[in-house]
mmCIF file of all heavy atoms in Angstrom:
data_model
loop_
_atom_site.group_PDB
_atom_site.id
_atom_site.type_symbol
_atom_site.label_atom_id
_atom_site.label_comp_id
_atom_site.label_asym_id
_atom_site.label_seq_id
_atom_site.Cartn_x
_atom_site.Cartn_y
_atom_site.Cartn_z
ATOM 1 N N LEU A 188 -7.954 6.773 -7.161
ATOM 2 C CA LEU A 188 -6.832 6.572 -6.235
ATOM 3 C C LEU A 188 -6.125 7.902 -5.990
ATOM 4 O O LEU A 188 -5.672 8.560 -6.935
ATOM 5 C CB LEU A 188 -5.828 5.572 -6.823
ATOM 6 C CG LEU A 188 -4.509 5.402 -6.047
ATOM 7 C CD1 LEU A 188 -4.752 4.793 -4.671
ATOM 8 C CD2 LEU A 188 -3.518 4.548 -6.842
ATOM 9 N N VAL A 189 -6.024 8.276 -4.708
ATOM 10 C CA VAL A 189 -5.250 9.458 -4.316
ATOM 11 C C VAL A 189 -3.910 8.966 -3.791
ATOM 12 O O VAL A 189 -3.867 8.148 -2.864
ATOM 13 C CB VAL A 189 -6.004 10.239 -3.215
ATOM 14 C CG1 VAL A 189 -5.087 11.231 -2.532
ATOM 15 C CG2 VAL A 189 -7.207 10.949 -3.799
ATOM 16 N N ALA A 190 -2.806 9.439 -4.374
ATOM 17 C CA ALA A 190 -1.469 9.022 -3.928
ATOM 18 C C ALA A 190 -0.722 10.232 -3.397
ATOM 19 O O ALA A 190 -0.792 11.317 -3.981
ATOM 20 C CB ALA A 190 -0.695 8.403 -5.090
ATOM 21 N N LEU A 191 0.009 10.025 -2.290
ATOM 22 C CA LEU A 191 0.804 11.129 -1.743
ATOM 23 C C LEU A 191 1.984 11.414 -2.655
ATOM 24 O O LEU A 191 2.441 12.550 -2.768
ATOM 25 C CB LEU A 191 1.296 10.738 -0.340
ATOM 26 C CG LEU A 191 1.694 11.862 0.596
ATOM 27 C CD1 LEU A 191 0.616 12.926 0.703
ATOM 28 C CD2 LEU A 191 2.015 11.302 1.976
ATOM 29 N N CYS A 192 2.455 10.384 -3.345
ATOM 30 C CA CYS A 192 3.588 10.540 -4.259
ATOM 31 C C CYS A 192 3.436 9.539 -5.402
ATOM 32 O O CYS A 192 3.133 8.364 -5.162
ATOM 33 C CB CYS A 192 4.879 10.263 -3.481
ATOM 34 S SG CYS A 192 6.373 10.406 -4.461
ATOM 35 N N LYS A 193 3.615 10.014 -6.640
ATOM 36 C CA LYS A 193 3.544 9.132 -7.803
ATOM 37 C C LYS A 193 4.937 8.998 -8.393
ATOM 38 O O LYS A 193 5.590 10.019 -8.664
ATOM 39 C CB LYS A 193 2.617 9.730 -8.865
ATOM 40 C CG LYS A 193 1.157 9.619 -8.563
ATOM 41 C CD LYS A 193 0.408 10.078 -9.794
ATOM 42 C CE LYS A 193 -1.037 10.371 -9.517
ATOM 43 N NZ LYS A 193 -1.712 10.888 -10.718
ATOM 44 N N LEU A 194 5.367 7.769 -8.616
ATOM 45 C CA LEU A 194 6.688 7.528 -9.186
ATOM 46 C C LEU A 194 6.547 6.569 -10.357
ATOM 47 O O LEU A 194 5.600 5.779 -10.407
ATOM 48 C CB LEU A 194 7.617 6.899 -8.145
ATOM 49 C CG LEU A 194 7.852 7.693 -6.847
ATOM 50 C CD1 LEU A 194 8.618 6.846 -5.849
ATOM 51 C CD2 LEU A 194 8.624 8.974 -7.154
ATOM 52 N N ASP A 195 7.514 6.638 -11.267
ATOM 53 C CA ASP A 195 7.533 5.699 -12.396
ATOM 54 C C ASP A 195 8.736 4.781 -12.197
ATOM 55 O O ASP A 195 9.827 5.091 -12.662
ATOM 56 C CB ASP A 195 7.636 6.487 -13.702
ATOM 57 C CG ASP A 195 7.113 5.683 -14.877
ATOM 58 O OD1 ASP A 195 6.854 4.477 -14.689
ATOM 59 O OD2 ASP A 195 6.966 6.254 -15.969
ATOM 60 N N ILE A 196 8.542 3.694 -11.454
ATOM 61 C CA ILE A 196 9.653 2.795 -11.130
ATOM 62 C C ILE A 196 9.541 1.560 -12.016
ATOM 63 O O ILE A 196 8.473 0.935 -12.072
ATOM 64 C CB ILE A 196 9.615 2.377 -9.642
ATOM 65 C CG1 ILE A 196 9.663 3.625 -8.738
ATOM 66 C CG2 ILE A 196 10.768 1.436 -9.320
ATOM 67 C CD1 ILE A 196 9.626 3.332 -7.256
ATOM 68 N N PRO A 197 10.616 1.190 -12.715
ATOM 69 C CA PRO A 197 10.515 0.043 -13.620
ATOM 70 C C PRO A 197 10.254 -1.269 -12.895
ATOM 71 O O PRO A 197 10.711 -1.474 -11.768
ATOM 72 C CB PRO A 197 11.884 0.011 -14.318
ATOM 73 C CG PRO A 197 12.781 0.853 -13.494
ATOM 74 C CD PRO A 197 11.937 1.824 -12.751
ATOM 75 N N ALA A 198 9.483 -2.133 -13.548
ATOM 76 C CA ALA A 198 9.224 -3.495 -13.054
ATOM 77 C C ALA A 198 9.131 -4.388 -14.288
ATOM 78 O O ALA A 198 8.544 -3.980 -15.296
ATOM 79 C CB ALA A 198 7.935 -3.537 -12.253
ATOM 80 N N TYR A 199 9.737 -5.576 -14.218
ATOM 81 C CA TYR A 199 9.870 -6.442 -15.390
ATOM 82 C C TYR A 199 9.340 -7.841 -15.094
ATOM 83 O O TYR A 199 9.516 -8.350 -13.977
ATOM 84 C CB TYR A 199 11.347 -6.583 -15.783
ATOM 85 C CG TYR A 199 12.085 -5.283 -15.936
ATOM 86 C CD1 TYR A 199 12.791 -4.733 -14.865
ATOM 87 C CD2 TYR A 199 12.093 -4.605 -17.157
ATOM 88 C CE1 TYR A 199 13.477 -3.532 -15.000
ATOM 89 C CE2 TYR A 199 12.780 -3.404 -17.294
ATOM 90 C CZ TYR A 199 13.467 -2.872 -16.211
ATOM 91 O OH TYR A 199 14.145 -1.687 -16.336
ATOM 92 N N PRO A 200 8.757 -8.520 -16.124
ATOM 93 C CA PRO A 200 8.469 -9.949 -15.966
ATOM 94 C C PRO A 200 9.780 -10.708 -15.763
ATOM 95 O O PRO A 200 10.837 -10.275 -16.271
ATOM 96 C CB PRO A 200 7.821 -10.339 -17.303
ATOM 97 C CG PRO A 200 7.430 -9.054 -17.957
ATOM 98 C CD PRO A 200 8.350 -7.997 -17.444
ATOM 99 N N ALA A 201 9.711 -11.835 -15.017
ATOM 100 C CA ALA A 201 10.924 -12.592 -14.665
ATOM 101 C C ALA A 201 11.703 -13.048 -15.898
ATOM 102 O O ALA A 201 12.925 -13.204 -15.840
ATOM 103 C CB ALA A 201 10.545 -13.790 -13.809
ATOM 104 N N ASP A 202 10.999 -13.241 -17.040
ATOM 105 C CA ASP A 202 11.697 -13.728 -18.244
ATOM 106 C C ASP A 202 12.127 -12.586 -19.178
ATOM 107 O O ASP A 202 12.510 -12.814 -20.315
ATOM 108 C CB ASP A 202 10.815 -14.730 -18.998
ATOM 109 C CG ASP A 202 9.500 -14.105 -19.453
ATOM 110 O OD1 ASP A 202 9.254 -12.908 -19.154
ATOM 111 O OD2 ASP A 202 8.695 -14.813 -20.098
#
Side-chain angles (χ1 to χ4, degrees):
L188 172 65
V189 165
L191 201 51
C192 180
K193 285 188 196 177
L194 302 172
D195 203 350
I196 302 180
Y199 309 93
D202 60 358

